[in-house]
Amino acid sequence: MIWNNERVDEMSDATIYDIARKAGVSIATVSQVINGKGKISDKRRQEIYRIIEELNYRPSVIASALTGKKTFTLGLLIPDISNPFFAELARAVEDCGSRSRYSLVICSTDNKDDKVSGYLQLLQQKSVDGIIIGTGLEDIGILKPLLNKSIPVVMIAREMPGVQLPTVIVDDYAGGKQAAEHLLELHHQRMAIITEQPKVSSSRERLRGYSDAILSRGFELPDEMVKKTGENLLKDGKSRALELLTDSNPPSAIFCCNDMIAIGTLQAAKELGIRVPEQLSIIGFDNTILAAVTEPALTTLSQPTEMMGSMAVEILIRLSEGESAALERTVLKPDLVIRSSTAAAGNRALDG
Amino acid sequence: MIWNNERVDEMSDATIYDIARKAGVSIATVSQVINGKGKISDKRRQEIYRIIEELNYRPSVIASALTGKKTFTLGLLIPDISNPFFAELARAVEDCGSRSRYSLVICSTDNKDDKVSGYLQLLQQKSVDGIIIGTGLEDIGILKPLLNKSIPVVMIAREMPGVQLPTVIVDDYAGGKQAAEHLLELHHQRMAIITEQPKVSSSRERLRGYSDAILSRGFELPDEMVKKTGENLLKDGKSRALELLTDSNPPSAIFCCNDMIAIGTLQAAKELGIRVPEQLSIIGFDNTILAAVTEPALTTLSQPTEMMGSMAVEILIRLSEGESAALERTVLKPDLVIRSSTAAAGNRALDG
DNA sequence: TTGAAAGCGTTACCAC
DNA sequence: GTGGTAACGCTTTCAA
């Protein structure tokens, strides 16, 4: 390699003992210098710093964690890091954490309970300082062993009924309502919804808000207008949309519980030759980068990912520093972003 | 919380001592049982397993790492986890790692050298078992302290000239060539390219391949047809595209070094009322989910992210298990995925 | 102002 | 088969 000619033999990383020996002091003194504790003469301090630089010494986080200090590592459980919404959320969490020198361990659970509990166990064994859960869970019993331990946990973008944990969430119910109201204002009457699996709390709430808003205006949301996807958001979204759109009495508007599903729906419409938004209005959720690049661009509900990520991290850090767990529940507002996938209700028969 | 009524007081996690005490044996015995070493009578073994279950004991990875065992943690350096290409790559790495119970620490560097070296230091201090670098670097000197240490490193999707490290990469040069050839077959002559910053090795190679292919057909790639973005791929991509398209002699085709830039270019074209692909062909790179959802859908070069991720992890694990560092360099082939953003060269003046 | 020593939770070697 | 104990690299307390 390029540095062939240089010494690469001192491979073993220096320890506090090496520093102490070289400086002719005890390891306690070195430790104090590093942690800015105790009273060390300026001369010694300088000298020790010099040697630390010289040997490129960095204290082992592992060893220090073993003495009861933090690992400066956080865990993030999400369904899938390759889903842009969660990638954006992860980025927010990472950024906020790294400002305080925390690292982030990513755990993609695919919404599978066994993956969740596997990751949870792993994170515990690794003594992370906190865990952020942003994934759905069928059996909350899985959390029990974790909650008996001392690791702080906060929920992000998801909730578990029956488990009280600090939570940072968007008002999904209100979001569903806003979606419905936007559509109602555009005079849609036959409205459908495609949700995620029922174990995803956010989807449940969005459905509830959507449904309530429709019902309160005297319209209805019949069962055949409510569809659920499985694991594969894009593919299943498209299939469900196909089902809806080939119904004998198809909807003029579909609310998709996230942008991925909305894209699947867009593809279904395209495949059937249905024009969006003229013949069909589609509204998504999350306002990921995807929503901005489709044609037509998606009307969607935007989540403040930045804010959610940093709030979750801040709570976790406070908790891990021993602050009493004020069982906070922060509910942020989603924002309706109107683009080009929604328009006044048309009539497919006339229009098409 | 829901489990209010139950004992939650034994908060302190059980240690090997608790198990040993309860089983009336020494910690050495417990350790041996856990690690399947030594000879322990079946009776004791069963009993110890039972107690482990009962106390929900899980050995501390921290403590075990301190005795020289692995941390079962890998680090991944990428420019930005919220960029779909890297999110997909991260997912591949995570999946492969988790099959062997490794966790993944994500580090978004924004292609900034100081972030890179900060993360590198952090990962070392945390004694990760290996580091995957998929981010550009201006000053490779930053890697020097790392390479002197004992942590295995592999490069993914990027290369550093002058640093020899095991590498898993796509043939970017060939990719650039394929892009050019596709465009040339469509009879384009005035062809442009928008690359990332020069410190991104993959962009440099794609440019080289593109340029070589064009030149070898007797056409040219004049300087004003070569643009570079900055940090913000989408925004800068759009600006650069705007510059190209408002040139007095605008290109009929633009090769964008990744899908994000291609989308910026698509937006620029839309803004100028230029029709794609009739008046302008656009070709991207990466084949992320984004390429499939734009309108028109992007012709792009697909990278085998799955394969790249798992190869990188496998090399790293082998290395961390002491296998001699065969300085492998795996070059995978990119695949041209033809969608709807490229077409035979038209004439904007006639056509528009 | 400094250092000796205990302790953190494991593993591994060597006696018994 | 089983257990005692040193060692891993660090922090912290207490004495000097």
Side-chain angles (χ1 to χ4, degrees), chain A residues 232-277:
Chain A
N232 190 326
L233 266 12
L234 204 58
K235 193 170 128 286
D236 296 343
K238 183 171 173 185
S239 317
R240 295 301 89 74
L242 246 17
E243 292 169 18
L244 287 171
L245 295 170
T246 52
D247 190 279
S248 57
N249 181 192
S252 67
I254 303 179
F255 170 40
C256 302
C257 280
N258 60 238
D259 288 347
M260 297 281 269
I261 298 177
I263 286 171
T265 302
L266 211 46
Q267 293 176 343
K270 209 165 282 180
E271 192 166 305
L272 296 174
I274 298 174
R275 292 201 312 275
V276 178

Side-chain angles (χ1 to χ4, degrees), chain B residues 25-72:
Chain B
V25 299
S26 77
I27 59 164
T29 305
V30 177
S31 176
Q32 285 171 160
V33 168
I34 292 169
N35 298 294
K37 302 197 170 168
K39 312 213 157 299
I40 310 291
S41 67
D42 244 25
K43 192 176 158 183
R44 275 221 192 296
R45 184 180 305 276
Q46 298 308 329
E47 174 66 357
I48 288 174
Y49 274 135
R50 203 186 53 67
I51 297 179
I52 287 179
E53 265 341 292
E54 185 185 329
L55 268 56
N56 195 255
Y57 164 71
R58 304 288 168 224
S60 154
V61 173
I62 296 289
S64 129
L66 195 54
T67 73
K69 312 215 74 172
K70 308 207 286 184
T71 53
F72 284 94

Side-chain angles (χ1 to χ4, degrees), chain A residues 318-319 321-328:
Chain A
R318 271 195 287 123
L319 248 34
E321 279 165 355
E323 282 196 40
S324 65
L327 225 54
E328 350 189 6

Side-chain angles (χ1 to χ4, degrees), chain A residues 35-347:
Chain A
N35 297 296
K37 301 201 171 165
K39 311 211 157 301
I40 310 293
S41 66
D42 245 26
K43 193 174 156 186
R44 275 219 191 299
R45 184 181 306 277
Q46 299 306 329
E47 173 65 358
I48 289 173
Y49 273 135
R50 205 186 51 68
I51 297 177
I52 286 179
E53 265 341 293
E54 185 186 328
L55 269 56
N56 194 256
Y57 165 69
R58 303 291 168 222
S60 154
V61 172
I62 296 288
S64 125
L66 196 54
T67 74
K69 313 214 73 172
K70 308 206 288 184
T71 52
F72 285 93
T73 304
L74 265 21
L76 174 65
L77 266 65
I78 49 178
D80 180 9
I81 187 69
S82 72
N83 171 325
F85 170 66
F86 292 106
E88 287 169 22
L89 195 59
R91 178 69 214 244
V93 168
E94 191 205 330
D95 277 353
C96 180
S98 76
R99 270 179 241 127
S100 313
R101 299 207 43 92
Y102 281 80
S103 324
L104 218 217
V105 174
I106 292 287
C107 311
S108 294
T109 67
D110 290 320
N111 280 318
K112 300 237 174 68
D113 280 18
D114 56 337
K115 285 201 182 185
V116 172
S117 58
Y119 274 124
L120 250 20
Q121 219 197 73
L122 211 53
L123 292 173
Q124 278 177 60
Q125 291 192 246
K126 293 189 177 167
S127 311
V128 298
D129 297 324
I131 298 178
I132 302 180
I133 300 185
T135 189
L137 201 50
E138 205 123 34
D139 171 16
I140 58 169
I142 284 179
L143 289 181
K144 200 173 164 183
L146 176 64
L147 268 20
N148 283 340
K149 308 279 174 164
S150 31
I151 300 183
V153 179
V154 356
M155 302 282 319
I156 196 170
R158 294 283 130 107
E159 268 185 314
M160 313 268 196
V163 189
Q164 278 189 35
L165 247 21
T167 301
V168 180
I169 205 170
V170 94
D171 192 336
D172 292 301
Y173 179 83
K177 241 174 140 153
Q178 285 176 66
E181 278 156 9
H182 173 61
L183 261 14
L184 289 165
E185 274 164 24
L186 294 170
H187 308 294
H188 289 275
Q189 299 185 6
R190 181 76 172 166
M191 292 160 59
I193 181 172
I194 306 179
T195 75
E196 286 186 66
Q197 308 166 79
K199 67 177 152 192
V200 179
S201 68
S202 55
S203 259
R204 287 197 309 267
E205 286 300 293
R206 290 170 199 175
L207 167 58
R208 217 165 53 79
Y210 189 68
S211 169
D212 281 3
I214 294 176
L215 266 42
S216 76
R217 294 277 195 110
F219 298 104
E220 48 179 22
L221 182 63
D223 282 354
E224 76 270 19
M225 289 291 106
V226 178
K227 298 283 183 182
K228 302 189 198 324
T229 66
E231 285 308 316
N232 190 326
L233 266 12
L234 204 58
K235 193 170 128 286
D236 296 343
K238 183 171 173 185
S239 317
R240 295 301 89 74
L242 246 17
E243 292 169 18
L244 287 171
L245 295 170
T246 52
D247 190 279
S248 57
N249 181 192
S252 67
I254 303 179
F255 170 40
C256 302
C257 280
N258 60 238
D259 288 347
M260 297 281 269
I261 298 177
I263 286 171
T265 302
L266 211 46
Q267 293 176 343
K270 209 165 282 180
E271 192 166 305
L272 296 174
I274 298 174
R275 292 201 312 275
V276 178
E278 295 83 357
Q279 299 172 303
L280 175 70
S281 284
I282 297 177
I283 171 163
F285 209 114
D286 292 345
N287 192 28
T288 55
I289 185 172
L290 294 171
V293 308
T294 56
E295 176 67 31
L298 281 176
T299 293
T300 189
L301 283 130
S302 134
Q303 301 204 42
T305 46
E306 196 89 6
M307 177 67 80
M308 291 166 73
S310 55
M311 294 193 72
V313 170
E314 275 158 20
I315 293 175
L316 221 40
I317 293 183
R318 271 195 287 123
L319 248 34
S320 80
E321 279 165 355
E323 282 196 40
S324 65
L327 225 54
E328 350 189 6
R329 181 163 181 283
T330 308
V331 182
L332 302 168
K333 285 274 164 249
D335 243 353
L336 181 66
V337 178
I338 301 179
R339 293 207 181 83
S340 321
S341 66
T342 48
N347 182 310

Side-chain angles (χ1 to χ4, degrees), chain A residues 126, chain B residues 61 65 68-75 101-103 123 126-131 150-153 316-317 319-321:
Chain A
K126 293 189 177 167
Chain B
V61 173
K69 312 215 74 172
K70 308 207 286 184
T71 53
F72 284 94
T73 304
L74 264 23
R101 299 208 43 92
Y102 281 80
S103 323
L123 292 173
K126 294 189 176 168
S127 312
V128 297
D129 298 324
I131 299 179
S150 31
I151 300 183
V153 179
L316 221 40
I317 293 183
L319 247 34
S320 80
E321 280 165 355

